[in-house]
Amino acid sequence: MFWLTLLAFVVILGLLIFVHELGHFTVAKLTGVKVEEFAFGFPPKLICKKRGETKYCLNAIPFGGYVKMLVRMKKFDNPRSVFAQKGAYSSGDYCCRAW
């Protein structure tokens, strides 16, 4: 009974993590951000397949995942000036805020 409960826990947690990462992936695609890699699980990588501009990976440990995105950043003369500007994170060159 313990092993069945443990297996159910791993499957449900894995499904929850997958749906969470899929949300990041979907929002990135809908907002025009290039997704370099969509990975489910922690490395080492078991299977990777590149389709279009995105590499899809299945990793060995199913307790995590990530979506690697390409974000264009503006160059500022003073790195602190980005925080002084109103709306700096809501410009067209950033995808750092969803609201």
Side-chain angles (χ1 to χ4, degrees), residues 4-17 40 62-63:
L4 185 59
T5 304
L6 184 63
L7 179 64
F9 173 75
V10 169
V11 168
I12 291 170
L13 184 62
L15 183 61
L16 182 66
I17 292 168
F40 174 68
F63 295 118

Side-chain angles (χ1 to χ4, degrees), residues 3-69:
W3 295 110
L4 185 59
T5 304
L6 184 63
L7 179 64
F9 173 75
V10 169
V11 168
I12 291 170
L13 184 62
L15 183 61
L16 182 66
I17 292 168
F18 179 77
V19 169
H20 174 85
E21 295 304 327
L22 190 61
H24 291 294
F25 177 80
T26 303
V27 170
K29 286 294 193 178
L30 289 175
T31 57
V33 175
K34 181 181 175 186
V35 176
E36 294 180 342
E37 186 174 349
F38 175 85
F40 174 68
F42 291 131
K45 294 179 180 176
L46 299 176
I47 301 169
C48 282
K49 183 166 181 133
K50 185 158 180 137
R51 188 168 181 187
E53 64 183 19
T54 306
K55 185 164 100 174
Y56 300 90
C57 295
L58 179 63
N59 296 332
I61 304 168
F63 295 118
Y66 61 92
V67 178
K68 182 178 178 187
M69 299 177 218

Side-chain angles (χ1 to χ4, degrees), residues 83-99:
F83 299 108
Q85 293 182 1
K86 184 176 181 181
Y89 286 108
S90 61
S91 68
D93 290 339
Y94 285 93
C95 183
C96 297
R97 285 178 56 166
W99 60 92

